[in-house]
Every structure is written in C-alpha cells, then in structure tokens.
Amino acid sequence: MRTLTLLALLLLLALPGAGQAQQKQVDGLAIVNDDGTLAIGGTRIRLYGITIPKLGILCIDDARGRTCSDFNVKRMLERKITGFVHCQIVRQASDGVAEGICTIEGRDRFRPRQDLGAWLVNEGMAIALRYAPPEYEALQAVAQAREVGVWSGLLVPELNDWGDDSRF
C-alpha cells in the first residue's frame, strides 16, 4: 500500500505543471475604472509595476494650452483600448486587487501586442515602481527626455499625490 501511494505521488509530480503555481490569465472587454484599474469579467486588475496620478491632481497649463482633461489617465486608456484586453496576472496586491501585465492588439496583424503599462509610462502618465519590468525604467527615461506628461517640467506631483504610494 505504501509503495502504491508513493508511486501515485511520483506520477502526480511528473505531470506537466505539477508543483508550480499557474499564473492566471484574464481576457475580455475591459471597463476602465476612475482609479485606472481595469474590470474584466468581474476581475479588477491594476496595471503591474506602475502608479498613476490620482484624478484631478495633474492640471498643467502651458503654451500648448493643455488642460486637466488632457492628462486624465482613465480617458487615455478608454481611447487606447478598442477591443479585447489580455492580462497575465502577476500577483495579488495586499489590498486584494490583482496586478497584471495587460496588453492589447497591435495596430495591425504584423505588430505585436502593446503593453498598456509600458504605454502609459512612455506617455509620461505613469511612473515605474521599483519592481517594474526593466523596460519600464528605460521608457520612463525616454518620457523624461521628451518632457511629456508629468515630466513636462511644469508640475511633477509629489509621491503622495500619486496612487497607492505604498508600492514604491
């Protein structure tokens, strides 16, 4: 009997994916919440590795005539997302919200999927957290050099003006 139990355990461990936590994938139409999280099929997902300004904090008037609504992350994401969103859940945050790398289709069939978090960092609308993928830091440096979004020089919000700053 003991040998049979041991054999069953060994067979179970030999199965593909046994002993490994499977990362969850969430796909579907997304609703963008006011805080920049996505709601897909009943799952609330925060974009992994970034933080975004709280709504109403970022208002810049410059020679180009920008207004607060030009920097509204919710509106930017709603315009960007035109179809299904694919999210690879990376972890569950301490507040219970799933965090994931979320992508959308490229502009045509020959372009790769576009990472929404990376896109926001590149547009200067989010900053990379310390645990973000390395390419996010490179995109942030590019956004700073281009002086876009919060890096325009007219206003860089304090960290406590951003979303959940406990993730820094």
Side-chain angles (χ1 to χ4, degrees):
M1 181 70 170
R2 183 173 216 162
T3 305
L4 190 56
T5 305
L6 183 59
L7 183 60
L9 181 61
L10 288 174
L11 286 173
L12 180 62
L13 290 175
L15 292 173
Q20 302 174 17
Q22 296 288 328
Q23 285 190 333
K24 183 179 176 185
Q25 295 181 20
V26 179
D27 297 292
L29 294 174
I31 296 170
V32 182
N33 298 314
D34 286 339
D35 62 356
T37 59
L38 304 176
I40 303 173
T43 302
R44 187 169 158 225
I45 303 166
R46 182 181 297 121
L47 298 176
Y48 175 77
I50 67 168
T51 190
I52 60 172
K54 293 178 183 176
L55 291 179
I57 294 297
L58 188 58
C59 298
I60 299 175
D61 293 315
D62 63 11
R64 294 171 279 191
R66 290 191 173 157
T67 64
C68 296
S69 62
D70 291 332
F71 292 92
N72 186 316
V73 174
K74 178 181 180 183
R75 286 192 192 121
M76 287 182 70
L77 282 171
E78 286 173 338
R79 286 184 203 125
K80 185 73 172 170
I81 299 170
T82 58
F84 282 91
V85 176
H86 170 79
C87 294
Q88 185 71 40
I89 304 303
V90 175
R91 69 181 196 170
Q92 199 78 14
S94 59
D95 61 1
V97 176
E99 292 186 354
I101 304 280
C102 297
T103 60
I104 58 171
E105 289 290 329
R107 283 184 265 170
D108 57 47
R109 74 170 68 177
F110 301 108
R111 303 224 178 165
R113 297 190 64 81
Q114 189 170 17
D115 178 340
L116 292 172
W119 175 74
L120 285 173
V121 170
N122 188 55
E123 294 295 315
M125 296 307 301
I127 59 172
L129 299 171
R130 68 178 177 272
Y131 56 82
E135 57 269 17
Y136 286 21
E137 286 187 34
L139 290 170
Q140 183 168 295
V142 170
Q144 287 174 309
R146 291 180 15 238
E147 298 180 344
V148 295
V150 298
W151 312 115
S152 65
L154 298 172
L155 173 65
V156 177
E158 297 294 321
L159 291 182
N160 61 359
D161 287 341
W162 291 70
D164 178 12
D165 59 18
S166 66
R167 297 178 292 143
F168 285 97

